[in-house]
């Protein structure tokens, strides 16, 4: 009888701990968050090799399960009056490049996320995924001698205007009364095949915002 009572007490304690754990994170696990964010993106371009900080704004979606989830976002970085120089001739004696002015960048990101630390009001997460970067506007300056020259410039602009790259993300989310505040940092390698990213360094963005829990991420059986 003592052994049975001891097992019963242990089972009740385990149930209480499990229930308390579920209660403490019930507003985070198995949820679907919609968020608004703002921040800044550090980048380089030929006209500014020292680097600049462009303000950004966007939306994101965070789908959570017990220990992992999915992150999707779109944001736009705001800048103008930056430029790059591109080759506009196949002739080796024509060494005068053409100026292309750049304005704004769109970024689409998707990542899998892990939640290594979860408490009632505070959760941290780590993400790994991919991002698609696209310069919003790239405008070559000047006139063309012929259609071949125009085609060469336009092909170069298309090639270097868009780039895909892996992305790493680290963030923290804090539950408030009606929403959750979050802050995160993303890191992406800077390839040489993109107008904004020159060299082989990592480019970084810092973002803060609010996320709203809009419901469960599980379609429960009825």
């Amino acid at each position: 009888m003592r052994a049975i009572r001891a097992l019963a007490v242990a089972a009740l304690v385990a149930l209480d701990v499990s229930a308390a754990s579920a209660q403490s994170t019930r507003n985070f696990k198995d949820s679907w968050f919609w968020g608004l964010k703002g921040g800044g993106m550090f980048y380089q371009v030929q006209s500014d090799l020292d680097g600049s900080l462009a303000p950004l704004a966007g939306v994101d979606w965070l789908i959570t399960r017990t220990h992992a989830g999915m992150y999707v976002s779109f944001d736009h970085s705001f800048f103008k009056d930056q430029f790059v120089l591109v080759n506009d001739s196949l002739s080796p004696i024509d060494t005068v490049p053409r100026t292309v002015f750049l304005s704004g960048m769109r970024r689409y990101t998707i990542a899998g996320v892990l939640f290594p630390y979860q408490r009632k009001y505070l959760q941290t997460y780590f993400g790994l995924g991919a991002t698609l970067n696209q310069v919003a506007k790239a405008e070559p300056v000047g006139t063309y001698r012929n259609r071949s020259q125009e085609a060469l410039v336009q092909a170069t602009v298309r090639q270097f205007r868009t780039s895909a790259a892996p992305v790493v993300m680290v963030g923290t989310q804090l539950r408030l009364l009606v929403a959750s505040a979050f802050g995160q940092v993303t890191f992406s390698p800077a390839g040489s095949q993109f107008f904004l990213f020159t060299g082989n360094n990592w480019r970084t963005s810092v973002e803060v915002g609010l996320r709203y829990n809009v419901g469960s991420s599980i379609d429960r059986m009825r």
Side-chain angles (χ1 to χ4, degrees):
M1 290 296 294
R2 291 180 180 178
I4 293 175
R5 281 198 295 268
L7 288 174
V9 170
L12 289 173
V13 170
L15 287 173
D16 288 342
V17 171
S18 176
S21 176
Q23 179 73 11
S24 67
T25 58
R26 65 185 177 87
N27 290 308
F28 182 76
K29 293 181 179 180
D30 300 327
S31 295
W32 189 355
F33 292 90
W34 287 23
L36 299 173
K37 63 178 181 176
M41 179 190 70
F42 297 92
Y43 70 97
Q44 276 181 292
V45 70
Q46 285 181 354
S47 60
D48 186 9
L49 292 178
D50 292 331
S52 295
L53 176 64
L56 69 82
V59 296
D60 68 12
W61 297 265
L62 180 65
I63 302 172
T64 68
R65 291 300 178 90
T66 302
H67 300 294
M70 178 178 290
Y71 174 85
V72 180
S73 76
F74 166 78
D75 54 64
H76 187 103
S77 298
F78 300 90
F79 60 87
K80 61 180 181 178
D81 298 329
Q82 300 284 24
F83 66 87
V84 294
L85 302 175
V86 302
N87 179 36
D88 68 351
S89 176
L90 297 177
S91 173
I93 63 174
D94 190 351
T95 59
V96 179
R98 183 177 296 269
T99 300
V100 178
F101 280 97
L102 309 175
S103 177
M105 192 192 84
R106 307 183 188 102
R107 183 174 60 168
Y108 307 84
T109 303
I110 183 169
V113 290
L114 298 175
F115 309 118
Y117 180 85
Q118 298 183 46
R119 291 297 183 267
K120 183 176 182 180
Y121 295 106
L122 184 68
Q123 300 85 31
T124 61
Y125 53 91
F126 169 82
L128 180 63
T131 181
L132 179 67
N133 307 290
Q134 183 183 56
V135 175
K137 185 180 293 186
E139 298 181 325
V141 177
T143 59
Y144 301 98
R145 291 192 297 269
N146 50 55
R147 290 186 177 180
S148 297
Q149 186 185 44
E150 181 179 5
L152 175 61
V153 173
Q154 294 299 331
T156 303
V157 169
R158 286 193 298 270
Q159 177 183 353
F160 288 87
R161 183 179 177 183
T162 303
S163 175
V167 64
V168 177
M169 176 173 60
V170 178
T172 299
Q173 181 163 304
L174 175 66
R175 184 161 69 90
L176 305 176
L177 291 177
V178 296
S180 294
F182 71 92
Q184 62 190 30
V185 182
T186 66
F187 308 91
S188 187
S192 60
Q193 299 297 309
F194 187 52
F195 279 144
L196 293 188
F197 298 145
T198 58
N200 296 309
N201 296 324
W202 287 73
R203 293 296 166 258
T204 306
S205 69
V206 178
E207 305 158 19
V208 295
L210 292 174
R211 292 193 180 114
Y212 297 87
N213 190 330
V214 297
S216 174
S217 62
I218 298 178
D219 186 10
R220 304 189 183 278
M221 297 180 61
R222 298 178 180 179

